[in-house]
């Protein structure tokens, strides 16, 4: 399994939700610092613009298979993940 770069701009999403665009943030724990890091999903006028890390952790641009993640959603959603392994 490979690392996956989070989409930015108009790239196809990794996470498909019903209703659309329900995942708001992805959090991961950094055991070196003992803190959580966050990246935010931006949607402008109903169009997803991608994932952007907070200023405190600018390197949160990808997901790594050896790390754990926590997803915050806006309301209830059904979602699927496209790992893009091919």
């Amino acid at each position: 399994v490979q690392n996956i770069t989070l989409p930015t701009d108009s790239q196809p999403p990794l996470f498909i939700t019903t209703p659309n665009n329900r995942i708001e943030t992805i959090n991961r724990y950094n055991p070196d610092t003992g803190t959580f890091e966050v990246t935010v999903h931006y949607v402008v006028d109903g169009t997803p613009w991608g994932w952007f890390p907070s200023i405190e952790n600018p390197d949160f641009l990808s997901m790594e298979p050896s790390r754990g993640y926590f997803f915050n959603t806006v309301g209830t959603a059904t979602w699927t993940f496209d790992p893009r392994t091919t």
Side-chain angles (χ1 to χ4, degrees), residues 7 13 18 23 33 39 42 47 50-51 63-64 69 74 78 82 84:
T18 304
I23 299 174
T33 63
T39 188
Y42 286 96
T47 301
W51 295 93
M63 296 183 71
E64 304 163 35
Y69 297 89
V74 178
T78 302
D82 177 2
R84 298 192 187 147

Side-chain angles (χ1 to χ4, degrees), residues 4 6-7 13-17 21-29 36-41 51 60 62-65 67-83:
I4 298 169
L6 293 168
L14 288 175
F15 310 99
I16 308 299
T17 63
N21 302 316
R22 288 293 194 168
I23 299 174
E24 189 171 59
T25 63
I26 303 174
N27 302 274
R28 70 178 178 196
Y29 184 71
F36 281 92
E37 300 172 335
V38 65
T39 188
V40 177
H41 186 239
W51 295 93
F60 190 172
S62 64
M63 296 183 71
E64 304 163 35
R67 300 185 79 168
Y69 297 89
F70 177 83
F71 293 77
N72 288 319
T73 62
V74 178
T76 303
T78 302
W79 57 285
T80 58
F81 171 61
D82 177 2

Side-chain angles (χ1 to χ4, degrees), residues 31 40 57 77 86:
V40 177
N57 49 269
T86 58

